[in-house]
Every structure is written in structure tokens, then in C-alpha cells.
Amino acid sequence: MFTGAQVTALDADQALAGVPDNPDLRSHVNTVHAVALHLAADIACAVAFVGAATPGLGEVEWMVVRDSHSAFFKPAVGRIRAICDDNDVLVGKVSFQYVTKLAASQSAAV
């Protein structure tokens, strides 16, 4: 299913991703489905990594999610904004553990 998720802000300190208010993304109780919330958080955190790693991004061979946890504090309704930082937790908190493989630096001594 297409969620319409979009990255709306990115810098070296934080990233912001959004999911529009879409009836197709609602659960059986008419709130935003947890999977859509989790997806928005995953996109925001992956993009935050890109923002933070920009100077060495060419050295990243791959990055995968090893583990993730989510806790939702109240029902989510309307447009969703996922912010990759520890501030302004309103609806829930999702944490990710990523594993990244970096290529050997061209300037490294052998």
C-alpha cells in the first residue's frame, strides 16, 4: 500500500517525515494504524542517519534495522509527523537499532 510518506525536513541534527491524513491508513477503530506510525518513524530515523553521515556517506555499504520497539501513548489521528530526536513525544515513541557496514576508507593506512 502506498502511504504517501514524505521527508519534509533534514539537517545534521534531526529529520522530519510525514504521513498524510488518509482513510486507507486507518485501523479498525478509525485511528492511524500502528504500521503507518512505525513506517514514518523508520523513514525519519533512516534519513536522520543520512543527514548525520553526509560527510562519509560514500563509505556506507549498507544499513539495516536489527531491532525496533514502539510504544504508543494515545490514539493517533490526522496527519502524522515523525521527528527523529528525543523531544516533543506526543503520540508514541519508536526506537531502532541499525547495523551499518562502512567501506574501508581510501585514506586509511594499510
Side-chain angles (χ1 to χ4, degrees):
M1 172 184 292
F2 177 72
T3 63
Q6 294 183 334
V7 175
T8 56
L10 171 64
D11 61 33
D13 297 320
Q14 100 176 356
L16 177 65
V19 176
D21 186 9
N22 181 342
D24 291 337
L25 301 178
R26 295 184 189 150
S27 69
H28 65 287
V29 293
N30 207 31
T31 60
V32 179
H33 199 283
V35 173
L37 298 172
H38 202 86
L39 173 68
D42 186 19
I43 290 170
C45 288
V47 170
F49 169 80
V50 171
T54 297
L57 197 57
E59 310 220 351
V60 176
E61 288 192 18
W62 51 261
M63 180 178 85
V64 297
V65 176
R66 174 180 282 174
D67 192 18
S68 66
H69 298 277
S70 54
F72 300 108
F73 309 124
K74 64 181 182 179
V77 294
R79 182 178 61 91
I80 298 303
R81 294 180 341 140
I83 304 169
C84 191
D85 65 20
D86 287 332
N87 302 317
D88 300 327
V89 176
L90 301 175
V91 172
K93 188 166 188 171
V94 180
S95 62
F96 295 94
Q97 181 183 43
Y98 293 98
V99 177
T100 304
K101 181 178 180 188
L102 301 176
S105 174
Q106 299 292 337
S107 61
V110 179

